[in-house]
Amino acid sequence: MKRTLAAVLIAAGVAAGAAAAAEPLATVGNVDLARYAGQWHEVAKYPNRFQQQCVGDTTATYGLRDDGDVAVLNRCRTRDGYDEVSGVARRVDGRTDRLQVSFLPAALRWLPFGWGDYWVIELAPDYRYAVVGEPSRQYLWVLSRTPGLAPEDRRAIEARLPGHGYDPARLVDSLPGKN
């Protein structure tokens, strides 16, 4: 009986996560990009191919540009030193919570490919943390203004992720000195 109940509860949880994933990804609404600008530390992420070289100390630094776009500088520690890449983020349909980011050379950014979605799905009222995803839910980042995140914030974020259609079990910590 206990095994049956446990199996039913697990199946219900999986079904709820699948149902949330089928829904369009909700974002936070307005993001004050001037307030969002500055350095963010990656606390956790879904593993991805384009950060495989990173072994820790991953940061993203954003700055407002005169043209209204956002300058992006991503940096991480590698086995041999540091790796960094510069790019630009542009608003999607004029929204500040839905951006597209490109790390292509500036001369190639007119191409219809090479842009990735950067959607802010959670943002602390005081901008101390942000959760960034994208509509396919293949990528996810938990960012903090400090290298660490308060345990209660981390637990609360992870508890809300299934409601966004994300599986918190897939998160990999990326605190300083760790993958």
Side-chain angles (χ1 to χ4, degrees):
M1 178 66 172
K2 286 183 182 177
R3 283 187 180 173
T4 303
L5 179 59
V8 168
L9 290 175
I10 289 170
V14 169
E23 296 292 321
L25 185 60
T27 52
V28 298
N30 186 51
V31 173
D32 179 345
L33 293 177
R35 197 168 171 199
Y36 197 83
Q39 187 176 68
W40 290 86
H41 298 265
E42 181 183 274
V43 174
K45 68 176 179 290
Y46 272 12
N48 60 67
R49 62 178 167 66
F50 46 86
Q51 287 183 280
Q52 288 177 344
Q53 77 283 11
C54 299
V55 297
D57 301 320
T58 302
T59 61
T61 304
Y62 306 108
L64 295 178
R65 296 175 12 151
D66 292 338
D67 64 2
D69 287 342
V70 178
V72 180
L73 176 65
N74 288 346
R75 186 168 202 240
C76 71
R77 187 169 40 81
T78 65
R79 284 181 177 53
D80 302 322
Y82 281 88
D83 189 12
E84 67 180 34
V85 61
S86 296
V88 65
R90 63 185 182 194
R91 299 172 193 209
V92 174
D93 298 325
R95 297 181 61 144
T96 57
D97 60 344
R98 294 182 182 184
L99 305 172
Q100 288 183 323
V101 179
S102 177
F103 296 100
L104 289 173
L108 298 177
R109 291 187 188 142
W110 61 270
L111 293 169
F113 57 85
W115 292 88
D117 290 313
Y118 181 106
W119 289 19
V120 182
I121 63 172
E122 290 200 12
L123 182 61
D126 62 359
Y127 286 56
R128 75 181 178 280
Y129 69 77
V131 180
V132 176
E134 47 75 48
S136 75
R137 295 170 173 90
Q138 292 179 15
Y139 303 104
L140 181 72
W141 293 268
V142 178
L143 307 175
S144 174
R145 288 297 192 173
T146 61
L149 189 63
E152 59 273 13
D153 286 336
R154 176 69 181 257
R155 283 190 299 272
I157 289 168
E158 288 186 14
R160 292 187 300 266
L161 285 178
H164 295 293
Y166 284 96
D167 178 3
R170 288 190 54 206
L171 281 175
V172 174
D173 286 341
S174 45
L175 296 173
K178 294 186 180 179
N179 271 344

